[in-house]
Structure formats: structure tokens, C-alpha cells
Amino acid sequence: MILIDCPNCGERNVAEFRFGGEYNPRPQNPDDPASDAAWVDYLYLKENKLGVQKEWWYHRAGCGLWFLAERHTKSHAVEKTYFWEAAK
Amino acid sequence: MSTKTKDAINPESQIQNPKSKIQNRLSSHPSHKVDYTRPIEFEFNGKKYTAFEGDTVASALWAAGVRVLGRSFKYHRPRGPFALTSGDTNAMVRVGDEPNVRPSMKLVEPGMAVESQNVWPSLNADIMSLTSYGSRFMPVGFYYKAFFRPKALWPTYEKVIRNAAGLGYVTTDTPDTYYDKKYEFADVLVIGGGPAGMSAALSAAKTGARVMLLDENPYLGGHLAYERQSVDTKNGGAKAYELADQLAQQVLAHPNIQVELNTSVFDIGYHLWVGAVKEGWTNTDPDSIQNPKSKIQNPEARLLKIRAKSLVAANGAFEQPLVFENSDLPGVILGSAAQRLMHLYGATPGKRAVVLSANRDGLQVALDLLVAGVQVSVVIELRDQPDSDLVTVLESAGVPVKTDSIVTKAQGNKGVRGVFVSQAAKELPLSPGGIKAIRGTKEFVICDLLVTSVGWTPATGLLYQAKGRMDYDEQRAEFLPAHLPPKVHAAGRVAGAHSVKAELLEGEMAGLNAAADVGFGKGASKKLQNEVAKLKAAEPVRTSALTYIPGGKKSFVSFDEDVSIKDVRDSVAEGYKSMELLKRYSTLSMGPSQGKYENANTMALCAEANNQTIPETGTTTGRPPFTSVPLGALAGRHMEPVKYTPMHDWHIARGATMMNAGLWKRPEYYGDPAAEVVGTRNSLGIIDVGTLGKLRLYGKDVPKLLEMLYTNKWSKLAEGGVRYGVMCNEEGIVSDDGVTANLGGDEWYMTATTGGVTGLYQDIEWNLQSGWDFDVHAVNMTDDYAAMNLTGPNAREVLQPLTDIDLNNEAFPYMAARQGTVAGVPAILMRIGFTGELGYEMHVPAGYGLYLWETLMDAGETFNITPFGVEAQRIMRLEKGHFIVGQDTDALTNPFMAHLDWAVKLDKSDFLGKPSLVRIQKRGVEQKLVGYEMLDSNIVPEEANQIVVPNPDRPIGLETIGRVTSSRYSPTLEKSLGLCWLPVDQSEPGTEFTVRIRGELHQGKVVPIPFYDPDGKRLKS
Ligand SMILES: [Zn+2]
């Protein structure tokens, strides 16, 4: 079981968290027919990266914070975690 | 023999106490873990035996002359312990009702009933052992080849294989029990309580770090515990077992060190999450941990889940068996096994021994055997220049030492009767694998014991799991740690240090470095590191590159799985050239010992068959479990939480049949669900709806939040209003539904589905925390409120006297919400009705739930109030044509398919799923959810029955075009009705269709919904 470093609570077992998927901001003007491809990309095409991935985690059994983590998908090294504001 | 020599080989003469002499046992000695004053009776295969406290099943039976404990997995060859460690898995026994017990780890307890496994009809006359004579019929990959086709026969094959190749059996009448688990934390976790591990624990503990030390044995000391020779430490010399005790006392006395004995690590996961099983007893008295004589029995194993901050692997090495013909015969044992028998348990290993040696350890074992009174016929030395000091002692005691020699074959039926020895080719040892020539004449030496000491395999399995990399050291013929991940250290034999001095110093170094990793101390000094490196470099080679003797037919590399040298070669010849493929095809290293005693030999054989070097062949990935783990320990206690509403006990007292609703329990019905429907529709019913998801929303921007969450419009919902809404995910798929009430003063109340509310709340939080800049606070109140629905034509009349809220239809109309008190309890009331009748849904703080429920039951008595369950609710909602998210919809259902077009407002600027719904609406839908009734009202389809049309090209002449998702007999309308999916062009009311029910075809017809009270007159009255 890996450890996730909650920016509020510190390192906790991953079982306390919900994984929220890759950081993948919603496209601008998604209703525009011209953005069909961007919308499909947003919904279905995950990067599924080997390496450091920026991703969402939710501390469900803790403080209730949604935060971002940069985690290596092979070694599971969590390089940093931070609030959403810093990701903008 | 000179007096000096006598003393050298008989150090016991000074401490021997003749009174303690027991039959079949050596004189008692301080290194013994058995207590001769405490005999224990136990049974093996129905016969009584005497053991002593501290004995394992294997040691007690060996001392009693029992060497065959079981039969092998495939050929049912007789097998016994050969290592006296956890690796003796091919001789696993059954103890009481527990199968697959490792005999060399299990301590004998009074009255214990031990049975051998994998024998039929009995241990001595095993019919399956005939397969041994016909082994050409069971070639490698046998199970794959013989049983692959035809697939349909697999169930039959499986039964036969299970009987022939089973590993014990499981009784089904064992009383229920569970294994508990324990969470542990350590700054420095040390695996292995030998010299390196204890040294590491002590040096780390001295820095102030919190240390945990694990060992699979019931005592500390590792190999020191079973050795009696003098060893060199940095503080001078000591007897090995005395040094073990000295170190153990320091470790046990140290306040920073937690010691867990009988504890096997089977898994090292990411971020040093370590799984271990602690078996046997726990002893709370630290002084007696070292001494199993005063143990407290603890019948179950415990699973330890340990989060370590840094780790020292000091888990030693396995003595490596040499593979030759019949080397699996009982009585062929490892040198360390002989020492364990004599020095831990006082058991005589045999009467006449041959020792096969390739290192100093082998010669030492020969001396130890002499001391124990075993006749050593000859020492067969693989080396040409064995350690002269020990050779001199042996020869002066009359033991010939034959250099440059090998054992080619063991002879015997149920145990060794003798061995063939030969002169070997001069260029020994060859690398890798075998030798090229055997010279000279074969000589037969009679013996009942062959002891082999040809080398050590570092126990790197756990380091592989920790993502370490090992490299093959050609000179030492060992795979040694080459790269370890941060915060993982290795010390002692697992890291290639063999002398006690090197083990102790390397342990000290690793302990200091591990402590420094987590902020304690400065780590090992340069001086210490250099000294360790120097000592290790100067050590003599302990491991022979020779792994097998060619020429034998019954030469087994794997005892667990009966894989022979020939099988390995055949597998490689068939193309399974890589270790990973070879392992899976031949089942090598996939048995209960996880390859502990076979991996090194397999690698050498594989390399040779591929004409490669060992590094080119490489090793396999280490996967958990490293050691066998009882499944019960992994399963642990049943810990799934259950949620009860405040009225739960009332439901039970009323005889309700309960059902699961997520984590909740709900009444499915109290009696006859149809009667519950009729009672509610005709007069009054009440249902516990406390499992509904409930959210309180606060803030001026709640309408904006609702506009984003729901597909319909919310900004104009006035105070006191309730609205139904559907939610979609970004794919435009229906994800939840429910109602939300505007309570006024920027307070809102939302209900959601029982199963969906947790995710919904988290999704709301995600949006609020990542870009929806709304002034909103959401609180999940699901568990804090009780909820019930009082419904039926008499609901108003019963409720009005109990509440300060005006229930008049104009004052509190349908789809309105009010706050007030009911029976003195603060309540939120919503006039909504999934039943289709006048109804009031009441939400009150959970602590008042039962009180209000009972008050309403009393008040409703004059109107024959009917408590009803989920089944009656489902019938009534179906009569109203309401769908259930997740039952009538699935992961592909968008609102347009579920006749929810009215609730999707694409003119809103944005909401979750809108971009998808805009596109879906353009594309149109292919299927629709519609109401139906069966032409024959006695026919009630099962939910998930298929709607079909004839098609001669399909297997049974039918093609599926839709399916039934909800189906009930309506007691109100006296019809069989429900909801189903149909193609859009066949979804108009009046269209008939065919549904296949239990193989028969029946006719149904699409009808408009709601089925009952389509204008909602009753609901709004
Ligand atoms: Zn947190």
C-alpha cells in the first residue's frame, strides 16, 4: 500500500484516499461543434503515462481535501502534492 | 588420537551431565531449545510419540527415527525434512484440522495429532508412487499438454489431478474462527534476528530510532543459535551460541527495540509496507522469549501490517542443496540441518554419515557429527585444497577426507542406505552448472545419512520485492545486492558476508545508515564502511558453482514440484528459454517453498542448457508471498461496516425480512408486499426511507450549484418549493436523481440515491474546490437524519394533529417543503410521492427517528396504518412508472433514452454533461425505456429477460432487441407490468413485442406511463 502525502494531513495510507484520475482540465467552450475532438479527448483519451503524472486525489477518510499529486506511475514516488490553486 | 584432538572434537566433555541422558537424544547442552524435563506426548499417523518442549514436529519425529513425513507432489516419492527450516515444504503435514503445516516450524504441543499428507492409502504403501516408475508418462509441462484439450473435459481432469496431486485437504466442519491483524510502525525495520540483524537493530536503536526486529524462528540468533564453534568478533572470541544469547539479551533489554518472533515476512510493498505473519505463541515476558520453555500458547496466527520508514534485510541465506540422483531421499540433509538437529534439539542425525563438503562449513559439520557420536565414514570434498586446520583434526580422528571428489548418487528405498562416490574432473568447480567428467571407479559407501554443505544462496527474494537489483558474483557464485532502493539496506549473509565478524560489522553499518535515513544519527563512518568492505573482500568463497551431478534420471531440482534436471533441459529445448517462461512451464519455484532451495540451481541449469552465463540468463522477479501464508491470515476478520437506521430494531421486532441497500439494512417486507400496497393505497402506509442520501447546502450560490449539477432549471425555485432533478456525468449518462428543497435563508436540502450519495458529495466537493467559485457549503447529513414517508389518502388527517405546519392542500401543496415540528421534533417535511398517493416525507435528527416512527404508528392505528418495505415501494413506484437509476438505467443510459427530455434544459449556459448531451441530441437515440403490460396478466417476466424477434440466422432462431428492467404484478391494477428497453421505432404505445421468459415466448405491449393515476389526482389531493 503506497503512501500519499495530503497537503493538510501529511503521509497516510492510500486506502484513506480516492483516486481522482489524471489532471485533465475541462476544455473551453465545449459546446462549440468545433471542439468535438477536444471534448472526446477530455472524456476518453487518457495519457496513461509512464513517468511522473499529475493527478487528483481526495482525502475521503481524512480532511476532505481534493488536491493534486505528482506521482511516478512506476515507482509510486509521490514527488509533490499541492492545492488546486497552485495548479492553475 | 591425542588428548588435544579429543578436546577439539569433544568440547562437550566438560559440561556433560550424565543424568540428563535421554534415549535417542544427545546430552543436554546450553544451545538446546528443548527441555528434557518437560516431555510432551503427541501422535503421528495415529501412533504415539514423545517430544520435549521446544521440539518441532520434524525434530521430534527425526529423534524418534521417523524420516519419511510425506510423499512428493507429482510422483509421490517419500520425502522428509532436509533443511529443518521453513523451506521443508515438501514434507508438509496436517496438524489437527489445519493442512499444509511446515513440520520444521511447527512446535509440538501436548496431544497434537499430526498426519502425513498426499499419501494414499497410507504413508508406507503409497499407490501413486507407482507413477515414479512411469515418469516418462508425466513429462514436463504435463498438466498443460495432457489436459489442455478438449476444454469441455477440464472439470473432470481437474478432479483427477486434485486427487493425485493434492496438497492436503480442507475440512468443512472446522469451527468458524478468524485471524486478527495488527498494524505496526517502525523507524527501522530489521528482518532477521541473526548476528547481522541483531547488530543492525542495536546500532539503529542506539541512535534513538524506534526499531522492530522480526525473525521467523521462536528464538533469536540465526545461524549462531545452532553453531558451537568459536567465532571471531571485534570484541574477541566466543562460542557461536553464546554470542547469540549475549546479543539477544542486549536486543531484548533495549527499550527502543520491539522483537517479534515466529514472524515470517512474505511481502515488501511500495513505500515499505511490509506484510508478515506471526505464528505460534506470544510471550509477554521478555526474559523468556529466548527460552521457549515458558511459552504461552496463542492458537492463531496474526497478520502484521508494518509501515517502516527504513529497512534492513538481514534475512540470511539458504544452504544450497546439490542436485544428484536420488538427492531427495530422506536422510540426505543439509549441513545446517544436521547442526540444527544436534544443537537445537539434541536429536542424533544418524548413525553412519557421509559428509559432502565444498566449504569450511562442511568440515565443521563433520566435526560436529563426531562430537555427537555419529560415525563419519568419509568426508567427500569437492575442493582440492580444503581448510587444512580442520582436515588435520578430522584425519587425526580417523575420518578420511577425499579431495576432488563427488557423490554421484544416493541409494535407498525410504531412506539413504548408501552413496556412490567418485573422483571428479580436476577443473572443478565449473561455471555454470555441472561438471564435464567423472573420473575413476565408482565406490559405494554404506551410510544412513548424507550431509551436504556445498554453498549458500542469499535469501534475496524480499530484496527483489523491495525493487532491489542483484548481480551475479562469478567468483563467489552468489547473486548479491547490487542496487537497493533508497531506505533499503542489506547486511549479513543475504549481502554476501559469511564470517561472523563481517556479519556483525555489516549489520552495525546497515543499522546506522537505516537510522540516518530517517533522521537519527549521522550514519556509518567511512572507517566502518571501509572495514566492512575489506573484511568481505578477504572472505573465502563459500559457494560452489557446481550445482548438480550429471547422469542421474531421478535428479530433482525442485522437491516442491518434482521437477528434474531432465525436465529443465526439455523445457529449454521446447523453447521455454527464459527463466520466467521456464518457471511457468515447468512449475519450478511455484510450489509452497517459493523456490527457496531451487532457484539458484534452476538458474545454473537454465544457463547451461541455453549455453549462456548465469548473468545472461538472469533471475526471475520476486513476487509475494515469499513464504507460505495461511489464507485465513490474509482474510482476517470480516470488517465490512453495516449501517442501521434508528428504526432497525423496531423492524426486526415486527418480523421484517431485511435486505441490503449498499451498506444499509432495509425492510424488504413485513408480510405480504401486495397487502402492504393495498393497505397504503386504500388508507395509510409508512416506510423508513432513512437510507436516502441527504445533503444540506448552505450559501447564496446554491442555485448556481444546482444549475450545474442537475440537467433541469433551479434558479426560479422559490422558498418552500421542492423539485425533482436528474444528474448526469460529463458523458451525458444518468448518474443520480432525487429532489432538492429550498428551505429559505440560503439553506437547501438535497436527497440522492442511497448508493450514489457518497460519490455525489465528493464530486460536489471536487467542483467546489477546483474552479466552481460558488459561495456554497455542502454537508453530507446522510447518517445524521432519520427519514420516513407517511403516505396514503389518510396521511393528512393523521399527521395534522401532530404538527404545527398547516397541512391544508393550498398552504402545503404537492412539491412543497416546510420546516416545523412533528410530535415536538424539529422536522423538514416534503410533499413528494413516489407511491402516487398523498404523502409527507419527514426528515428529523436521527436520535428522534424511532420516537417519531412509533408516534406515527400509534396515531395511524385508527386508520390501520401499514408499515411497508422496499418491495411494496417498488411495486407502487412502478405503478407510477418511475424508473430507478442503476436498475432501469445503466452506464450507457442518457436522459433522452429514459423519456427525460423534459428535464434536460440545453438552453442553460452550462451543466455537467451538457456538451455531451448537445451532441447526443443531434445524433438521436436508438433505444428507449418504456412502460409495458403483458397481454396475459398471469405472466410476470423476470427482470433482465430478453425481448426478441425471430431471426433464423441466430443460434436459437431469435435475436435480442431489448430487455425487461423492472417487472411486477400490480395488485392495484391487477396487471403484469413493468419497464423495458426497446428500439425507438418499436417504442410507441400499442406496439406489441415478444419476451422470452424461462425459455418460453410471451407477448407484451407498450403502454403509456404512469400506469396508475396518470393525472396525479391522488398525489395532488
Ligand atoms: Zn487530509
Side-chain angles (χ1 to χ4, degrees):
Chain A
M1 191 181 318
I2 67 168
L3 288 169
I4 301 289
D5 192 3
C6 171
N8 282 333
C9 311
E11 284 192 335
R12 303 294 180 92
N13 281 349
V14 70
E16 290 189 14
F17 298 86
R18 168 180 161 188
F19 178 57
E22 294 173 12
Y23 178 69
N24 182 22
R26 202 181 198 228
Q28 299 291 313
N29 307 316
D31 294 352
D32 183 351
S35 70
D36 280 2
W39 187 247
V40 167
D41 197 78
Y42 169 67
L43 289 182
Y44 302 111
L45 300 179
K46 309 298 176 197
E47 213 181 321
N48 197 19
K49 182 173 181 176
L50 175 65
V52 177
Q53 172 172 283
K54 189 165 158 186
E55 60 197 21
W56 282 107
W57 288 88
Y58 175 67
H59 198 182
R60 61 180 177 87
C63 62
L65 178 71
W66 277 101
F67 59 93
L68 288 140
E70 292 183 14
R71 178 184 62 100
H72 195 288
T73 54
K74 190 177 179 198
S75 72
H76 291 295
V78 180
E79 304 198 339
K80 54 179 172 175
T81 54
Y82 44 90
F83 287 68
W84 169 75
E85 279 74 11
K88 277 192 281 188
Chain B
M1 194 189 306
S2 72
T3 320
K4 201 181 161 203
T5 311
K6 249 184 196 165
D7 284 349
I9 63 163
N10 196 6
E12 260 182 278
S13 53
Q14 290 117 42
I15 44 171
Q16 198 162 324
N17 175 2
K19 280 183 192 163
S20 66
K21 186 73 188 154
I22 309 276
Q23 201 191 346
N24 298 328
R25 296 276 180 156
L26 301 169
S27 306
S28 64
H29 187 280
S31 75
H32 285 172
K33 301 297 177 193
V34 285
D35 182 352
Y36 290 163
T37 67
R38 309 185 81 157
I40 306 174
E41 300 285 314
F42 76 108
E43 273 183 20
F44 177 60
N45 289 341
K47 205 178 151 196
K48 280 208 175 354
Y49 291 91
T50 304
F52 297 103
E53 238 176 54
D55 257 324
T56 65
V57 168
S59 69
L61 288 172
W62 191 284
V66 180
R67 287 182 175 186
V68 181
L69 295 193
R71 295 276 175 169
S72 69
F73 183 69
K74 203 156 108 188
Y75 299 124
H76 284 226
R77 290 169 68 88
R79 293 278 164 82
F82 67 94
L84 271 290
T85 68
S86 58
D88 280 326
T89 45
N90 70 109
M92 287 192 298
V93 292
R94 182 179 184 83
V95 174
D97 52 19
E98 190 185 351
N100 299 327
V101 174
R102 293 168 293 172
S104 303
M105 299 306 285
K106 186 71 177 178
L107 290 161
V108 178
E109 290 161 28
M112 191 183 247
V114 182
E115 287 171 55
S116 43
Q117 296 188 155
N118 209 18
V119 292
W120 182 71
S122 77
L123 182 61
N124 283 323
D126 186 283
I127 286 175
M128 282 306 292
S129 65
L130 293 176
T131 56
S132 191
Y133 295 101
S135 68
R136 66 194 173 88
F137 294 118
M138 290 179 89
V140 63
F142 172 70
Y143 295 126
Y144 291 120
K145 285 173 183 160
F147 298 119
F148 188 64
R149 287 197 172 85
K151 223 173 176 180
L153 275 176
W154 244 113
T156 314
Y157 290 149
E158 219 177 342
K159 268 186 200 163
V160 176
I161 296 170
R162 276 290 127 218
N163 281 335
L167 282 176
Y169 61 95
V170 176
T171 45
T172 49
D173 55 358
T174 303
D176 262 1
T177 183
Y178 61 82
Y179 296 76
D180 249 326
K181 62 183 144 217
K182 194 176 177 192
Y183 292 84
E184 296 278 9
F185 302 87
D187 292 325
V188 177
L189 177 68
V190 181
I191 303 172
M198 288 197 285
S199 176
L202 286 166
S203 69
K206 279 172 195 159
T207 66
R210 195 172 150 199
V211 178
M212 192 168 178
L213 175 67
L214 312 178
D215 196 281
E216 66 171 353
N217 291 302
Y219 49 84
L220 291 172
H223 67 90
L224 294 181
Y226 61 78
E227 290 173 355
R228 289 195 190 157
Q229 73 272 20
S230 292
V231 293
D232 187 22
T233 76
K234 70 174 178 184
N235 303 321
K239 291 267 186 286
Y241 68 92
E242 290 170 350
L243 176 63
D245 283 344
Q246 287 161 18
L247 287 168
Q249 275 165 24
Q250 291 176 47
V251 164
L252 294 168
H254 204 292
N256 285 1
I257 305 176
Q258 178 188 350
V259 177
E260 297 294 347
L261 298 172
N262 300 303
T263 303
S264 315
V265 174
F266 62 87
D267 179 23
I268 297 182
Y270 287 105
H271 300 178
L272 299 183
W273 178 247
V274 176
V277 174
K278 185 176 170 69
E279 284 181 272
W281 67 89
T282 52
N283 195 326
T284 50
D285 177 9
D287 293 327
S288 57
I289 288 182
Q290 192 56 6
N291 174 4
K293 289 158 196 169
S294 62
K295 64 184 186 277
I296 303 157
Q297 291 295 333
N298 181 3
E300 302 291 359
R302 294 283 179 275
L303 182 66
L304 303 186
K305 294 184 168 185
I306 306 159
R307 178 69 74 182
K309 288 185 181 161
S310 69
L311 183 133
V312 177
N315 54 320
F318 300 106
E319 191 158 26
Q320 191 173 303
L322 185 69
V323 181
F324 54 90
E325 182 144 33
N326 296 331
S327 59
D328 60 327
L329 264 181
V332 178
I333 65 173
L334 300 172
S336 52
Q339 288 175 320
R340 284 173 207 265
L341 283 171
M342 296 183 285
H343 300 161
L344 296 178
Y345 309 109
T348 317
K351 291 189 179 73
R352 292 178 74 170
V354 169
V355 176
L356 173 66
S357 166
N359 53 30
R360 192 176 174 85
D361 305 314
L363 299 179
Q364 182 62 48
V365 173
L367 281 173
D368 290 343
L369 287 164
L370 282 180
V371 171
V374 180
Q375 183 195 328
V376 179
S377 301
V378 62
V379 174
I380 303 298
E381 241 310 336
L382 284 144
R383 295 173 295 173
D384 52 1
Q385 288 181 320
D387 312 70
S388 57
D389 55 334
L390 296 180
V391 171
T392 308
V393 181
L394 283 165
E395 285 180 343
S396 61
V399 178
V401 178
K402 288 196 172 187
T403 55
D404 254 340
S405 296
I406 50 170
V407 169
T408 55
K409 183 181 179 180
Q411 190 85 350
N413 184 13
K414 282 170 199 151
V416 185
R417 287 193 291 106
V419 294
F420 289 94
V421 300
S422 288
Q423 194 78 14
K426 195 69 190 156
E427 57 269 29
L428 263 176
L430 296 179
S431 175
I435 52 176
K436 281 179 185 136
I438 299 167
R439 283 206 212 125
T441 46
K442 274 199 280 184
E443 187 192 339
F444 185 73
V445 183
I446 293 172
C447 63
D448 67 348
L449 181 72
L450 174 66
V451 178
T452 70
S453 284
V454 299
W456 299 85
T457 306
T460 49
L462 290 172
L463 287 172
Y464 280 111
Q465 285 187 21
K467 313 291 170 204
R469 200 192 80 221
M470 316 311 136
D471 281 350
Y472 189 67
D473 183 322
E474 298 259 9
Q475 194 215 336
R476 297 186 178 276
E478 292 177 13
F479 271 90
L480 296 173
H483 173 78
L484 296 177
K487 297 178 183 176
V488 175
H489 306 264
R493 289 189 169 174
V494 73
H498 281 276
S499 73
V500 174
K501 194 172 180 182
E503 289 175 283
L504 292 171
L505 282 179
E506 192 171 33
E508 186 182 339
M509 179 180 95
L512 290 170
N513 288 338
D517 282 346
V518 283
F520 293 92
K522 289 179 182 146
S525 66
K526 253 277 107 25
K527 186 171 161 257
L528 176 58
Q529 310 215 28
N530 290 337
E531 201 181 341
V532 170
K534 221 170 83 190
L535 271 174
K536 284 174 77 175
E539 282 195 357
V541 174
R542 295 273 177 148
T543 302
S544 159
L546 179 74
T547 59
Y548 75 94
I549 307 294
K553 277 184 195 133
K554 303 282 192 304
S555 302
F556 290 96
V557 185
S558 165
F559 295 177
D560 275 357
E561 301 279 332
D562 275 354
V563 181
S564 69
I565 291 175
K566 187 173 180 298
D567 291 332
V568 175
R569 288 190 178 144
D570 288 352
S571 301
V572 173
E574 286 177 35
Y576 299 92
K577 289 172 192 280
S578 88
M579 276 294 284
E580 291 287 357
L581 288 176
L582 173 63
K583 176 175 130 174
R584 283 162 180 77
Y585 185 62
S586 68
T587 69
L588 265 163
S589 86
M590 290 172 79
S593 85
Q594 288 290 294
K596 289 185 183 76
Y597 286 94
E598 60 204 54
N599 270 347
N601 292 339
T602 306
M603 252 180 287
L605 274 164
C606 179
E608 190 200 44
N610 278 317
N611 209 9
Q612 288 175 328
T613 63
I614 287 177
E616 280 166 353
T617 297
T619 180
T620 59
T621 314
R623 292 189 183 82
F626 177 63
T627 192
S628 52
V629 183
L631 283 176
L634 295 179
R637 210 195 280 220
H638 188 68
M639 295 291 262
E640 192 177 311
V642 178
K643 290 186 178 188
Y644 299 116
T645 73
M647 293 81 104
H648 182 80
D649 291 343
W650 189 94
H651 303 317
I652 299 292
R654 285 291 287 255
T657 297
M658 304 301 281
M659 60 176 276
N660 294 330
L663 298 177
W664 295 90
K665 302 284 176 193
R666 294 192 70 181
E668 188 170 11
Y669 45 81
Y670 298 84
D672 172 20
E676 290 170 13
V677 171
V678 173
T680 302
R681 293 233 185 275
N682 288 346
S683 177
L684 186 61
I686 187 168
I687 181 170
D688 181 353
V689 293
T691 64
L692 272 174
K694 313 171 200 79
L695 301 179
R696 285 199 83 135
L697 305 168
Y698 303 91
K700 65 177 168 46
D701 291 336
V702 172
K704 286 186 188 166
L705 174 78
L706 300 176
E707 293 288 9
M708 285 302 291
L709 292 175
Y710 287 114
T711 60
N712 54 339
K713 291 193 180 173
W714 290 82
S715 44
K716 289 192 181 129
L717 182 66
E719 177 176 340
V722 178
R723 190 164 285 173
Y724 170 82
V726 172
M727 295 183 198
C728 287
N729 62 21
E730 287 281 48
E731 291 171 71
I733 304 300
V734 176
S735 60
D736 211 321
D737 69 344
V739 300
T740 295
N742 182 351
L743 302 179
D746 293 338
E747 285 190 37
W748 298 65
Y749 192 74
M750 173 187 282
T751 66
T753 57
T754 303
V757 68
T758 305
L760 171 62
Y761 170 73
Q762 294 173 358
D763 290 349
I764 290 173
E765 279 297 315
W766 180 70
N767 284 306
L768 291 176
Q769 292 182 31
S770 70
W772 289 3
D773 192 16
F774 299 154
D775 175 12
V776 174
H777 281 279
V779 186
N780 187 350
M781 303 294 284
T782 300
D783 300 346
D784 300 273
Y785 281 103
M788 59 207 83
N789 198 316
L790 186 71
T791 181
N794 290 313
R796 184 180 291 119
E797 197 164 346
V798 168
L799 189 60
Q800 185 63 80
L802 294 171
T803 179
D804 55 1
I805 302 165
D806 182 357
L807 300 185
N808 184 286
N809 204 20
E810 283 74 50
F812 189 178
Y814 177 62
M815 295 309 276
R818 298 288 181 268
Q819 291 185 91
T821 60
V822 180
V825 173
I828 298 168
L829 269 64
M830 291 185 283
R831 237 196 102 179
I832 51 180
F834 51 81
T835 60
E837 303 296 335
L838 166 67
Y840 300 92
E841 192 169 290
M842 288 168 259
H843 293 246
V844 299
Y848 296 121
L850 179 61
Y851 163 73
L852 181 58
W853 177 272
E854 287 181 327
T855 305
L856 292 169
M857 283 302 299
D858 287 347
E861 209 178 335
T862 46
F863 292 96
N864 288 321
I865 186 168
T866 307
F868 63 97
V870 174
E871 179 56 22
Q873 176 194 331
R874 289 200 163 162
I875 295 169
M876 287 189 270
R877 69 92 198 172
L878 191 55
E879 288 172 343
K880 287 297 289 181
H882 297 311
F883 70 94
I884 297 176
V885 174
Q887 172 170 332
D888 300 295
T889 72
D890 60 25
L892 295 173
T893 306
N894 65 59
F896 305 121
M897 298 161 75
H899 58 84
L900 288 166
D901 308 54
W902 62 272
V904 180
K905 302 298 181 191
L906 292 179
D907 58 336
K908 289 205 291 182
S909 67
D910 196 8
F911 59 88
L912 290 181
K914 186 193 168 197
S916 291
L917 290 171
V918 167
R919 292 172 169 89
I920 289 165
Q921 196 198 35
K922 266 188 231 158
R923 197 180 62 198
V925 297
E926 290 167 359
Q927 292 243 320
K928 279 208 154 179
L929 183 67
V930 296
Y932 72 83
E933 61 183 50
M934 297 300 292
L935 302 189
D936 179 348
S937 64
N938 293 315
I939 302 294
V940 181
E942 291 171 328
E943 285 166 357
N945 276 165
Q946 310 282 295
I947 294 167
V948 294
V949 291
N951 183 340
D953 298 335
R954 295 298 165 103
I956 55 169
L958 296 170
E959 181 183 344
T960 301
I961 57 162
R963 70 186 191 281
V964 172
T965 54
S966 283
S967 168
R968 287 291 186 280
Y969 179 77
S970 161
T972 313
L973 303 169
E974 297 181 334
K975 280 178 179 169
S976 166
L977 48 83
L979 299 173
C980 68
W981 285 98
L982 280 171
V984 170
D985 60 358
Q986 294 168 63
S987 65
E988 284 305 306
T991 313
E992 288 196 11
F993 60 82
T994 304
V995 57
R996 188 164 180 264
I997 306 168
R998 290 176 289 268
E1000 287 177 18
L1001 302 182
H1002 296 278
Q1003 291 303 110
K1005 179 176 78 175
V1006 178
V1007 296
I1009 42 180
F1011 305 97
Y1012 172 72
D1013 186 24
D1015 305 327
K1017 283 197 185 106
R1018 298 177 69 90
L1019 199 57
K1020 294 170 188 164
S1021 63

